[in-house]
Amino acid sequence: MARKEIAKILITGPFNAGKTTLIRHISDEQSSGKDVQATDALAQFKGMTTVGLDFGILHVDDTLDVHLFGTPGQSRFNFMWRILSKGALGTIFLIDSSSQRAIDEGKGMFQYYRERSDDPIIIGATKRDEPGAKAIDVLVQELNVGDTTVIPCDPRKVEDSKTLVLSLLQAIIDAQTGGVADDDDYDDLMDLE
Amino acid sequence: MADRELISFKHFGLFRKTVAMKRTGVLVYITHLGFAGRIPFTKGQLVNSLDPIQLKHFFTSAMQESYWEGQPQTLEEGQDTVAVLAGLLEPLEWNEPFCHGLSHMLCKLPIVEVKAIPVQFEDYHLEICAGLLHRQALASSLFKPQQFLDNVSNSKTLKARLKIMLLAYVSGLMNAKKEDQRQTKKNKTSGRGKSSLANRILQRIKGIGS
């Protein structure tokens, strides 16, 4: 029996951005992602948090599975970010655009990834409906992410989660083929019905 | 690190990494993930299992060093971080000095009989192992959780159990390195491979929920 091919996608970003939710929506099987009561200073912001890692499997066909790895958001797990990012096709970086704390932390986190990998990365700006959510252009500036694609999204909506992953996949394809996504490509991705 | 540890790690075949380990030590990271009662270790039991010298070392380390602001921050690319996200400690608040001291203690354990540990790992062992003692991760089809648990449960002493956990993790580390090398080689030879994979996944994602 032929060995099944495995592709890996990393979902990362600071604390409380929606990583666990996104993985839930995209996976056929979710093997981890145990939420526990937050016990540290962040508990005031979020009651439950992920420990270890989130892990989901999406079965593509008989010969290919996608492994979705979600990193813990807290900076104390930073040693795991490097471990988890190895061998990934690309990375989705989620950030709570309504939280200055998340943006401040996300800036360093994003640079950490960028410095260690040339693999495609896209940013999903979440919590757009929260008071104080930053405009995308402000977010780009504050995160200092250059021309990295930033997509407003709500991971609680399946279609938004799909759009994020599809955008990343398109970026991976473009990176390999030398193509550049144009507006039509983006519209195609958004037109999921 | 003492020669004893270096020798013990050679049992894994980590010859090339012993130099780096000698410089940096081996970080064993313990968090408060639980086995949900399957292996109900407590902090007290753990500490009680140590001999007086280890215990002294443990508390000395705990008092003198700050885990998060210390050594782990200085680890550099290519250096090994042996991380065990362990369920050893029933609800342990984030007590960094304790973790740091514990990491020192675990590094002192002589590690033997590697080949006798029949833990099987498959792809991305390292990542899975990072959540190794995570109950949900144990349910993953990617490795043999029951076998692993049996090994742990059948061990007579706490120390033996700790060793198995550490061994399992490092075994995963080794296999993951091989996998990394294989993957890197594959990626270098097949730039279009990623594009092809992405295309196939893209079609699958589009189908979700429809």
Side-chain angles (χ1 to χ4, degrees), chain A residues 3 6 8 28 31-32 34 39 51 55 59 61 63-64 69 76 79 82 84 86 119 162 176, chain B residues 33 68 77 79 83 94 123-124 126-127 134 136-137 142 180 191-192 194 200 204-206 208:
Chain A
R3 192 175 184 181
I6 295 170
K8 177 180 174 185
D28 293 322
S31 301
S32 61
K34 182 178 172 58
T39 57
V51 279
F55 176 65
H59 302 297
D61 54 38
T63 59
L64 174 63
F69 287 93
R76 61 171 175 259
F79 71 91
R82 179 169 63 88
L84 289 171
K86 282 183 181 174
D119 290 334
K162 285 169 65 176
Q176 296 300 323
Chain B
L33 304 184
W68 293 112
E77 192 73 22
Q79 292 177 331
W94 285 102
D123 289 348
Y124 299 117
L126 181 57
E127 291 87 341
H134 189 304
Q136 264 81 353
L142 293 176
D180 271 352
R192 287 266 170 183
K194 276 190 175 183
R200 290 164 65 190
R204 173 68 178 84
I205 300 274
K206 279 184 176 178
I208 291 176

Side-chain angles (χ1 to χ4, degrees), chain A residues 34-35 38 50 59 66 70 85 87 108 123 133 135 147 170 173 189:
Chain A
K34 182 178 172 58
D35 281 352
T50 301
H59 302 297
V66 180
S85 63
I123 297 171
D147 56 1
Q170 191 60 55
I173 293 166
L189 291 175

Side-chain angles (χ1 to χ4, degrees), chain B residues 64-78:
Chain B
Q64 290 180 348
E65 301 182 62
S66 169
Y67 179 85
W68 293 112
E69 294 173 2
Q71 187 180 1
Q73 303 293 334
T74 66
L75 285 175
E76 294 171 2
E77 192 73 22

Side-chain angles (χ1 to χ4, degrees), chain B residues 26-59:
Chain B
V26 179
L27 169 66
V28 178
Y29 178 88
I30 304 294
T31 184
H32 60 193
L33 304 184
F35 261 114
R38 297 188 71 171
I39 303 180
F41 295 153
T42 66
K43 184 165 61 175
Q45 285 176 312
L46 186 66
V47 172
N48 288 337
S49 75
L50 307 181
D51 64 39
I53 294 173
Q54 287 172 325
L55 202 58
K56 183 181 177 185
H57 178 79
F58 169 74
F59 282 113

Side-chain angles (χ1 to χ4, degrees), chain A residues 148-162:
Chain A
T148 305
T149 303
V150 181
I151 299 173
C153 66
D154 181 349
R156 293 170 299 181
K157 298 175 181 171
V158 176
E159 291 306 310
D160 278 19
S161 295
K162 285 169 65 176

Side-chain angles (χ1 to χ4, degrees), chain A residues 39-95:
Chain A
T39 57
D40 55 14
L42 295 171
Q44 61 182 304
F45 300 103
K46 189 185 182 190
M48 307 294 279
T49 192
T50 301
V51 279
L53 74 165
D54 282 313
F55 176 65
I57 301 175
L58 175 69
H59 302 297
V60 175
D61 54 38
D62 290 342
T63 59
L64 174 63
D65 279 347
V66 180
H67 289 183
L68 298 146
F69 287 93
T71 69
Q74 291 87 346
S75 57
R76 61 171 175 259
F77 286 111
N78 61 3
F79 71 91
M80 278 184 69
W81 301 343
R82 179 169 63 88
I83 292 170
L84 289 171
S85 63
K86 282 183 181 174
L89 277 180
T91 299
I92 293 173
F93 189 94
L94 289 183
I95 187 148

Side-chain angles (χ1 to χ4, degrees), chain B residues 50-165:
Chain B
L50 307 181
D51 64 39
I53 294 173
Q54 287 172 325
L55 202 58
K56 183 181 177 185
H57 178 79
F58 169 74
F59 282 113
T60 303
S61 300
M63 286 188 291
Q64 290 180 348
E65 301 182 62
S66 169
Y67 179 85
W68 293 112
E69 294 173 2
Q71 187 180 1
Q73 303 293 334
T74 66
L75 285 175
E76 294 171 2
E77 192 73 22
Q79 292 177 331
D80 275 317
T81 300
V82 175
V84 177
L85 296 181
L88 304 175
L89 313 173
E90 283 304 304
L92 169 67
E93 64 283 0
W94 285 102
N95 183 333
E96 291 86 358
F98 179 84
C99 292
H100 189 65
L102 191 61
S103 75
H104 278 247
M105 183 277 292
L106 284 172
C107 290
K108 295 289 179 190
L109 294 173
I111 299 166
V112 293
E113 297 177 335
V114 178
K115 291 177 182 175
I117 309 298
V119 179
Q120 303 291 323
F121 294 97
E122 297 180 34
D123 289 348
Y124 299 117
H125 335 71
L126 181 57
E127 291 87 341
I128 297 301
C129 287
L132 188 62
L133 308 177
H134 189 304
R135 192 157 60 102
Q136 264 81 353
L138 282 171
S140 164
S141 62
L142 293 176
F143 65 104
K144 310 291 187 286
Q146 195 56 55
Q147 197 172 40
F148 171 78
L149 278 177
D150 287 346
N151 283 329
V152 175
S153 303
N154 292 336
S155 300
K156 289 180 181 174
T157 65
L158 180 61
K159 269 189 187 177
R161 294 175 185 180
L162 287 170
K163 279 186 217 170
I164 288 173
M165 293 174 186

